[in-house]
């Protein structure tokens, strides 16, 4: 290989590495996971705001929680607010998911249905309580999908609690870890 081709190849490799590093950094900063507190993200078309009372590691034990009383029950909640950034922005959809990350002997056994959740979109009634299913840490469950057609923010609140009627001695000392995440996608 002559010297010009070698120098050209080296320069090409350097630019390729810089391109990959820049793209990786952009991907990582766009896909931030939020586990506590508030976090706002703005894309070209959408605004998404996460607000959480606490991490999903400190979930209260409650009894007799229904769709009608979940908002006042004291359940742990995470709220995602989303809207179009401007009236001229394209419409889209917001998908809210739950990923369970706890594993091993100290993880809460979800097969009994002890960990419950309910989803409330805007001012609509909350959904009927459901059990968080057993999933692997790479599988997210869809909690809800809503249309984003307005610059007025829509709140999606997800409530979590341990059902005291199912909780037993096998659950004592066990932990649950997970996080709620959202993605906004432009309609095609």
């Amino acid at each position: 290989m002559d010297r010009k081709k070698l120098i050209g190849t080296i320069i090409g490799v350097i630019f390729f590495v810089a391109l990959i590093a820049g793209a990786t950094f952009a991907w990582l900063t766009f896909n931030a996971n939020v586990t506590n507190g508030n976090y706002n993200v703005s894309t070209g078309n959408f605004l998404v705001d996460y607000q959480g009372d606490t991490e999903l590691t400190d979930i209260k034990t409650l009894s007799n929680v229904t769709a009608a009383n979940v908002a006042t029950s004291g359940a742990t909640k995470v709220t995602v607010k989303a809207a179009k950034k401007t009236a001229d922005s394209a419409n889209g959809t917001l998908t809210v998911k739950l990923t369970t990350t706890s594993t091993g002997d100290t993880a809460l056994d979800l097969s009994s249905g002890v960990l419950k959740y309910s989803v409330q979109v805007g001012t609509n009634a909350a959904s009927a309580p459901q059990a968080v299913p057993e999933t692997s840490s790479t599988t997210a469950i869809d909690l809800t999908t809503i249309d984003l057609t307005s610059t007025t923010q829509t709140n999606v609140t997800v409530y979590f609690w341990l059902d005291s009627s199912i909780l037993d001695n096998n659950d004592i000392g066990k932990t649950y870890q997970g996080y709620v995440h959202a993605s906004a996608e432009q309609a095609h």
Side-chain angles (χ1 to χ4, degrees):
M1 180 181 278
D2 69 19
R3 185 176 176 158
K4 284 185 179 182
K5 287 184 180 179
L6 179 61
I7 291 172
T9 301
I10 291 171
I11 291 172
V13 168
I14 290 171
F15 282 122
F16 179 75
V17 168
L19 175 70
I20 295 299
T24 301
F25 177 76
W27 182 83
L28 288 173
T29 56
F30 181 72
N31 288 298
N33 287 331
V34 179
T35 57
N36 194 16
N38 298 340
Y39 184 78
N40 299 309
V41 65
S42 176
T43 65
N45 290 330
F46 308 108
L47 298 170
V48 179
D49 179 16
Y50 294 82
Q51 296 180 330
D53 286 347
T54 185
E55 293 184 36
L56 294 183
T57 56
D58 182 25
I59 299 173
K60 298 175 182 166
T61 302
L62 303 170
S63 62
N64 303 319
V65 177
T66 65
N69 71 6
V70 68
T72 59
S73 68
T76 299
K77 68 180 179 178
V78 175
T79 301
V80 177
K81 298 178 180 184
K84 288 178 25 173
K85 190 171 184 178
T86 66
D88 296 340
S89 297
N91 291 339
T93 57
L94 175 77
T95 303
V96 180
K97 297 182 177 193
L98 171 68
T99 298
T100 297
T101 59
S102 51
T103 59
D105 294 339
T106 61
L108 185 66
D109 180 9
L110 299 176
S111 66
S112 67
V114 68
L115 182 59
K116 303 286 189 184
Y117 74 93
S118 180
V119 179
Q120 182 178 18
V121 177
T123 57
N124 296 332
S127 67
Q130 298 180 55
V132 172
E134 286 186 283
T135 60
S136 70
S137 61
T138 58
T139 305
I141 61 166
D142 288 344
L143 299 175
T144 191
T145 300
I146 62 168
D147 292 328
L148 296 176
T149 58
S150 169
T151 58
T152 302
Q153 284 190 336
T154 299
N155 293 353
V156 176
T157 304
V158 186
Y159 299 93
F160 296 93
W161 67 96
L162 293 168
D163 187 335
S164 65
S165 67
I166 299 174
L167 193 68
D168 65 21
N169 289 336
N170 295 328
D171 299 318
I172 304 303
K174 302 293 182 167
T175 61
Y176 174 81
Q177 291 179 312
Y179 59 93
V180 171
H181 48 110
S183 62
E185 183 176 341
Q186 182 175 319
H188 300 287

